[in-house]
Amino acid sequence: MWRVMLIPRPYVKGLPIKLTIQSQLPSGDYSEQIIRPTYTDPYVLEMREFYAAVVDGKPYKTTPADAKNDTVLANMIMAALVD
């Protein structure tokens, strides 16, 4: 059984967010589900979250430690590709 999630062009201004989930069911049949949670531009959503964190003190979804771990992971991937 497999599952693939596709998010096309998440930062193209004006395009709605569209998440496509493709999976194989236990019976072997193919399933595709399209989720459109919002028509609001993803960049606008991010800026609203950032504003709320800075001005209102709302906690970040992604912490600076998460960002550091992402950078470490990306460096590990790049190092593995070079070897």
Side-chain angles (χ1 to χ4, degrees), residues 7 36-37 60 70 79 83:
I7 305 173
R36 192 180 319 266
Y60 296 103
D70 289 346
D83 290 340

Side-chain angles (χ1 to χ4, degrees), residues 47-61:
M47 291 309 295
R48 286 179 184 162
E49 288 291 321
F50 179 71
Y51 180 87
V54 172
V55 174
D56 302 330
K58 180 180 174 185
Y60 296 103
K61 287 184 181 180

Side-chain angles (χ1 to χ4, degrees), residues 1-3 22-32:
M1 193 163 94
W2 50 268
R3 173 177 262 188
Q22 301 171 340
S23 59
Q24 182 182 15
L25 302 175
S27 64
D29 293 340
Y30 171 80
S31 171
E32 182 171 289

Side-chain angles (χ1 to χ4, degrees), residues 17-51:
I17 296 172
K18 177 178 147 184
L19 173 65
T20 303
I21 301 174
Q22 301 171 340
S23 59
Q24 182 182 15
L25 302 175
S27 64
D29 293 340
Y30 171 80
S31 171
E32 182 171 289
Q33 180 182 13
I34 297 175
I35 301 170
R36 192 180 319 266
T38 181
Y39 279 93
T40 305
D41 185 85
Y43 185 74
V44 171
L45 294 174
E46 287 185 19
M47 291 309 295
R48 286 179 184 162
E49 288 291 321
F50 179 71
Y51 180 87

Side-chain angles (χ1 to χ4, degrees), residues 57-79:
K58 180 180 174 185
Y60 296 103
K61 287 184 181 180
T62 304
T63 65
D66 292 334
K68 181 181 177 185
N69 290 336
D70 289 346
T71 304
V72 170
L73 177 61
N75 287 332
M76 290 169 61
I77 292 169
M78 293 304 294

